[in-house]
Amino acid sequence: MDYGQYFEAALDAIRREGRYRVFTDIRRQQGAFPSGEQVLVGGVRPITVWCSNDYLGMGQHPAVLAAMHEAVDTVGAGSGGTRNISGTTHYHVALEAEIADLHGKESALLFTSAYVANDATLSTLVKLMPGTIIFSDEKNHASMIEGIRHGGGEKRIFRHNDVADLEAKLKAAPAGVPKIIAFESVYSMDGHISPIGAICDLAKKYGAMTYLDEVHAVGLYGPRGGGIAERDGVMDRVDIINGTLAKGFGVMGGYIAASRDCCDAIRSYAAGFIFTTSVAPAIAAGALASIRHLKLSQLERARHQERAATLKARLTAAGLPVMANPSHIVPVMVGDPVHCKALTDALLDRHGIYVQPINYPTVAKGGERIRLTPSPQHTDAQMSELVEALSALWLACPVSKGVLTKLAAE
């Protein structure tokens, strides 16, 4: 049996579609973000990173680096085990307390990633509450979709951010069964923001729990970085909040924040939590320092919002098809996977500008785009270089002109 033929055929299929993914080997330069280097055969070349999810540059912050160094020097590299078997260090305990405080919840539970947190929590909730129906926004992240699937319960998909459609589906469901509304605050590919308060109103009316993914909002919104729910004054109305330590907070890991009993039940039953080694103490220490800093400092959030708004305005003025949205996400539509890859290759090869193409299955086919993530550290000069390079490449390409004309007509 030639097993290799299956792998070859699968890879050939995505190559034919133009969506084969190539990793770019980069080195970030500590203290100089968003500058970095692309590692090539025989050398390196300088680049500017425009697609990092380290939204605020906290992965370079002195307080975060100092905390991580201190943790390594104090307790070493690894955690030594699962949370249940020697892997709960004081750094993990302190971080969970800090996260719970950030979201105004009784408790929090730390995972190795927000993907794992979503998958493990949503699947376990259905098993803890037999008969649960999950109402899921149609644009929810893959990790939420997988968690709902793994739970094996009934799901009903509502139209994106459509509270009327959600209510119709809630109204049609039996009154006496457990219900969970699962949705995000900031949708990372389109930049849409959900109507959290209105969804909480429906949850109360129809006796449903709310499960909110704040991955692309924590650290970035709210007086203390608690996310859109904090910004909108509705954080206390959300039952379970999922967040990440890898984006606004600049390190890695994920979590949920909820009631003490809810977190304890997930801790006790979720295989994705029980059977995995806990994050390294240095990671927990760095995340703890990042959260504590952003609870007090508004500078990073204010500068981040200004940079995002400025880039959107400059791209729009240059005639580029930026998707309008109320968040910090800056998507520029391309609409073709081959061209999207060619465009980002040209930006990197000719201009030293690193942007990753976003293709299916991250977005729907025909929705290919580049997704720019301006940070507080991006300068006006770097922004000018990006806009000028992108404009020159865009105008030189017939596919781009077609997309631009189509979007302008709409």
Side-chain angles (χ1 to χ4, degrees):
M1 174 67 72
D2 179 12
Y3 292 103
Q5 66 180 320
Y6 297 103
F7 309 135
E8 184 178 351
L11 291 171
D12 285 344
I14 59 174
R15 286 192 180 101
R16 285 194 301 271
E17 293 179 27
R19 59 183 183 90
Y20 179 75
R21 300 182 182 208
V22 177
F23 291 160
T24 303
D25 187 349
I26 68 170
R27 282 200 299 241
R28 285 158 49 110
Q29 294 177 331
Q30 193 271 316
F33 182 76
S35 296
E37 295 175 333
Q38 182 187 13
V39 180
L40 302 166
V41 176
V44 299
R45 68 175 167 199
I47 60 171
T48 303
V49 179
W50 274 100
C51 56
S52 173
N53 279 340
D54 186 359
Y55 289 128
L56 302 179
M58 290 302 293
Q60 307 281 315
H61 196 280
V64 174
L65 301 183
M68 296 182 76
H69 281 294
E70 185 275 335
V72 169
D73 292 341
T74 301
V75 301
S79 67
T82 65
R83 288 293 299 275
N84 189 51
I85 306 175
S86 84
T88 296
T89 73
H90 184 64
Y91 296 99
H92 297 84
V93 175
L95 177 56
E96 287 176 337
E98 201 73 31
I99 292 169
D101 175 77
L102 175 67
H103 292 293
K105 302 300 182 188
E106 292 179 339
S107 190
L109 196 61
L110 181 62
F111 291 80
T112 50
S113 74
Y115 187 108
V116 174
N118 271 334
D119 188 355
T121 303
L122 285 166
S123 61
T124 302
L125 286 171
V126 175
K127 294 169 184 174
L128 293 173
M129 301 184 296
T132 293
I133 301 172
I134 296 186
F135 299 81
S136 177
D137 188 287
E138 66 179 344
K139 290 200 172 184
N140 275 343
H141 190 264
S143 58
M144 301 175 76
I145 294 169
E146 285 301 297
I148 293 167
R149 284 175 178 166
H150 290 159
E154 184 178 351
K155 64 178 182 294
R156 300 185 184 179
I157 312 302
F158 64 92
R159 289 192 294 269
H160 178 51
N161 278 352
D162 189 333
V163 293
D165 188 49
L166 172 59
E167 179 163 25
K169 288 177 168 56
L170 286 165
K171 188 181 295 185
V177 302
K179 304 175 186 68
I180 300 171
I181 304 172
F183 62 111
E184 301 181 41
S185 60
V186 176
Y187 288 83
S188 63
M189 289 300 133
D190 296 335
H192 300 156
I193 294 179
S194 64
I196 301 175
I199 291 174
C200 288
D201 289 342
L202 291 179
K204 182 178 180 180
K205 181 176 180 180
Y206 293 97
M209 289 184 68
T210 45
Y211 184 101
L212 174 64
D213 181 312
E214 287 259 38
V215 160
H216 289 271
V218 290
L220 309 178
Y221 296 88
R224 300 197 307 160
I228 297 295
E230 184 191 28
R231 185 199 70 174
D232 293 353
V234 295
M235 198 160 55
D236 62 313
R237 303 182 64 196
V238 178
D239 294 299
I240 304 173
I241 293 175
N242 169 278
T244 185
L245 304 168
K247 295 181 172 63
F249 296 123
V251 192
M252 71 171 293
Y255 63 83
I256 60 166
S259 69
R260 184 171 290 104
D261 284 348
C262 177
C263 288
D264 199 13
I266 300 301
R267 178 188 73 86
S268 301
Y269 283 89
F273 177 83
I274 295 169
F275 296 106
T276 190
T277 299
S278 63
V279 299
I283 296 294
L288 180 62
S290 185
I291 293 173
R292 285 176 174 170
H293 174 82
L294 289 173
K295 279 181 175 178
L296 300 175
S297 175
Q298 298 295 329
L299 295 176
E300 292 84 2
R301 281 188 284 278
R303 173 71 171 171
H304 182 236
Q305 289 295 318
E306 180 276 323
R307 292 283 81 187
T310 298
L311 181 59
K312 286 179 181 179
R314 294 192 62 177
L315 290 167
T316 301
L320 294 162
V322 181
M323 290 181 64
N325 64 65
S327 73
H328 61 282
I329 305 295
V330 187
V332 181
M333 291 299 294
V334 178
D336 177 85
V338 175
H339 174 60
C340 196
K341 180 67 166 61
L343 178 66
T344 57
D345 284 349
L347 283 170
L348 183 60
D349 296 339
R350 301 179 197 175
H351 303 279
I353 293 171
Y354 174 43
V355 182
Q356 194 68 16
I358 305 295
N359 295 330
Y360 178 85
T362 306
V363 294
K365 292 181 179 179
E368 293 82 7
R369 68 198 66 179
I370 60 173
R371 177 179 170 275
L372 303 168
T373 54
S375 72
Q377 292 78 19
H378 281 92
T379 66
D380 287 337
Q382 289 168 332
M383 201 173 286
S384 294
E385 292 170 359
L386 170 68
V387 174
E388 290 168 11
L390 191 54
S391 297
L393 292 168
W394 204 271
L395 293 174
C397 179
V399 177
S400 293
K401 289 180 182 178
V403 173
L404 181 57
T405 301
K406 180 177 180 293
L407 290 177
E410 292 175 351

